[in-house]
Every structure is written in C-alpha cells, then in structure tokens.
C-alpha cells in the first residue's frame, strides 16, 4: 500500500487548476456579505469578484472560468428578518445581461413572502468542469 503526503498540489505549469479524475469537488464557493456595499466575500475559492447589481442581485465572477455554462450552483441565505431567505440565480435561459456564462452568474435573492431582497448573508457552491 502506498501513502501520499503533500501540503500543496499544483498543476505542472504552476498556475492552472489540477484536474480531478473519477471524483468531484466544488470548483468554486463563497460566503458573501450581501448586506454590505458591493457584497464582498467573507471567504471564497475561485471567486475573482462580487458586485452589487441591484436589490437581490449579486454578480459573482470566477477566477478560473468553467468549460461552459452548464455548471450547477447551490446556496442558502439568511434574510433581513425572521421571514426566511431564498437564494436563487438567473439561469441559462435568461435572455438579458444576467444570463449565466462560463465566467459569471447573477443571484436572484428574495425574502419569503416578498420580492427581491438583499440577504444579510448567503453561501454558495458551484460544481462543473473548469475550462
């Protein structure tokens, strides 16, 4: 039996992501303070930037893009009050500037029983194939 121990594994070119085979892991994730100006990340992986676009809408841009826009996004959020937060995204079928691309997507956050709303906090993860 072999044992491999390492602190860091990098691609042979020193910058590209390492390809995982026969397994999947989140290719991007973030916890976002959607109540603060510009909706900054509290912690993240493979997230280049976030931007406050409109009430309930945060643009999330990846550091390393995906091979296409068929990735999956999941998340959850904390509402401004006790009503409960709803985390959503603008999808691939959207025909406006908020359509998912291989390099970014937009959230569509709401509060239970009401319309679009900036959440106090939301966390999300993204699964798919990197470019």
């Amino acid at each position: 039996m072999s044992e491999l121990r390492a602190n860091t594994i990098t691609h042979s070119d020193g910058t590209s992501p390492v390809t995982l085979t026969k397994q999947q892991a989140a290719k991007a994730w973030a916890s976002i303070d959607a109540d603060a100006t510009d909706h900054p990340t509290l912690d993240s992986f493979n997230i280049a930037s976030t931007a406050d676009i409109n009430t309930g809408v945060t643009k999330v841009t990846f550091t390393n893009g995906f091979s296409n826009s068929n990735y999956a996004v999941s998340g959850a959020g904390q509402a401004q009050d006790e009503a409960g937060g709803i985390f959503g995204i603008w999808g691939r079928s959207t025909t406006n500037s908020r359509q998912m691309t291989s390099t970014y997507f937009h959230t569509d956050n709401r509060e239970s029983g009401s319309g679009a709303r900036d959440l106090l906090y939301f966390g999300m993860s993204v699964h798919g194939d990197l470019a």
Side-chain angles (χ1 to χ4, degrees), residues 22-105:
K22 298 185 183 183
Q23 59 183 336
Q24 283 292 327
K27 301 301 190 320
W29 59 263
S31 58
I32 296 173
D33 183 355
D35 194 37
T37 303
D38 291 331
H39 298 186
T41 59
L42 300 169
D43 200 0
S44 67
F45 171 73
N46 194 25
I47 303 297
S49 64
T50 56
D52 181 359
I53 302 300
N54 205 336
T55 301
V57 181
T58 303
K59 182 179 181 179
V60 179
T61 303
F62 304 117
T63 304
N64 297 297
F66 286 78
S67 60
N68 55 49
S69 62
N70 296 328
Y71 51 86
V73 180
S74 60
Q78 178 184 353
Q80 297 280 348
D81 59 26
E82 301 299 322
I86 301 170
F87 172 87
I89 63 167
W90 288 80
R92 294 181 321 120
S93 62
T94 302
T95 57
N96 63 26
S97 61
R98 295 183 185 159
Q99 185 174 25
M100 289 173 72
T101 73
S102 62
T103 57
Y104 65 83
F105 71 93

